Amino acid sequence: RLAAMSAVELPPLGAPGSSVSLWLMPDGEEHKKLQELIDRYSAKVGMPSFAPHATLLGGVELSRGPEQVKEVLYACHQLASELQPLELTCKDIGGFGRWNQCLLCTMELTEELEQANIKAQQYFRPPPEGTTPKAAFAPPVGLPHLSIAYTDFADDSDREAAMKEVAQQDPWLSGYTFTARNLSIWTTAGGLAGVPSWRKLADFPLGRR
């Protein structure tokens, strides 16, 4: 299964089906600690690992050619310059039926993180005129979060067992805090099979004009 997934190729940037996500990532020792956690649990479920991150905004489509790619990257640069480094605190272990939210740790929705999400929406998914912008994170969790592993669990009991294992084996995760200093832009199309092909396009420092 792992070998078959590694052969999946993502559509070229700008082609139909291509998309990027805006990630907040740890660095240094914080990155190393969370990467080890994700590597370990990804291996346990027999699936590819991925970089530790909290998604600020996901699924930004890039289907209108190279010019749109340039426009999106420039907008990301502008967005990053309007933000400041963000302190992210892990809270509760959870899991849902979707492969990309099957095993995760929610994060505290601070005012700074809420406003960062709203600004990202205003750049890429502006709300209808006259409406009050609100923070919105992908359902079903509906909160910022750190994914711990990606897979399709066979049933609820398997997912609940994995959640219990994380809570028992890695209790340090609840309450763990890291600082995101960059806005990282990643190609994230292809669903679960596309994970091995995800790539970082750019890092934009937060707060630097």
Side-chain angles (χ1 to χ4, degrees):
R1 187 178 184 183
L2 197 61
M5 288 183 62
S6 66
V8 171
E9 294 185 7
L10 302 186
L13 286 177
S18 66
S19 66
V20 294
S21 293
L22 283 55
W23 286 1
L24 300 170
M25 299 180 65
D27 56 16
E29 288 300 313
E30 296 168 342
H31 184 282
K32 182 179 179 181
K33 187 177 182 71
L34 291 172
Q35 187 68 71
E36 187 277 332
L37 176 85
I38 293 170
D39 289 348
R40 182 156 39 88
Y41 284 100
S42 294
K44 283 178 180 290
V45 299
M47 300 299 280
S49 188
F50 51 90
H53 66 278
T55 299
L56 182 63
L57 191 70
V60 177
E61 292 187 13
L62 292 177
S63 58
R64 302 199 306 272
E67 284 305 311
Q68 188 191 19
V69 176
K70 293 178 183 178
E71 291 169 5
V72 166
L73 289 176
Y74 180 73
C76 290
H77 169 74
Q78 290 295 105
L79 171 63
S81 73
E82 296 175 14
L83 304 176
Q84 294 298 318
L86 292 163
E87 189 172 272
L88 305 178
T89 300
C90 299
K91 291 185 67 179
D92 303 315
I93 307 301
F96 299 85
R98 290 182 56 174
W99 65 268
N100 59 350
Q101 293 189 11
C102 67
L103 186 62
L104 55 79
C105 188
T106 60
M107 291 185 161
E108 182 179 349
L109 182 56
T110 62
E111 182 177 352
E112 292 81 5
L113 183 52
E114 185 175 15
Q115 290 303 313
N117 173 265
I118 289 171
K119 283 188 176 183
Q121 291 183 65
Q122 289 171 335
Y123 269 99
F124 300 106
R125 293 177 194 148
E129 192 172 344
T131 61
T132 302
K134 296 180 180 179
F137 294 87
V141 64
L143 289 169
H145 60 274
L146 174 85
S147 288
I148 300 170
Y150 292 147
T151 192
D152 284 316
F153 283 114
D155 51 41
D156 291 347
S157 62
D158 284 353
R159 182 167 58 252
E160 290 166 3
M163 292 163 53
K164 184 177 181 180
E165 182 176 1
V166 175
Q168 291 180 342
Q169 298 297 320
D170 295 279
W172 59 268
L173 185 59
S174 295
Y176 185 74
T177 297
F178 68 87
T179 302
R181 297 179 175 85
N182 295 287
L183 183 65
S184 296
I185 317 305
W186 284 68
T187 58
T188 52
L192 179 56
V195 172
S197 299
W198 288 0
R199 296 291 181 270
K200 181 164 64 175
L201 296 182
D203 273 333
F204 297 110
L206 299 180
R208 185 179 299 173
R209 296 184 180 275

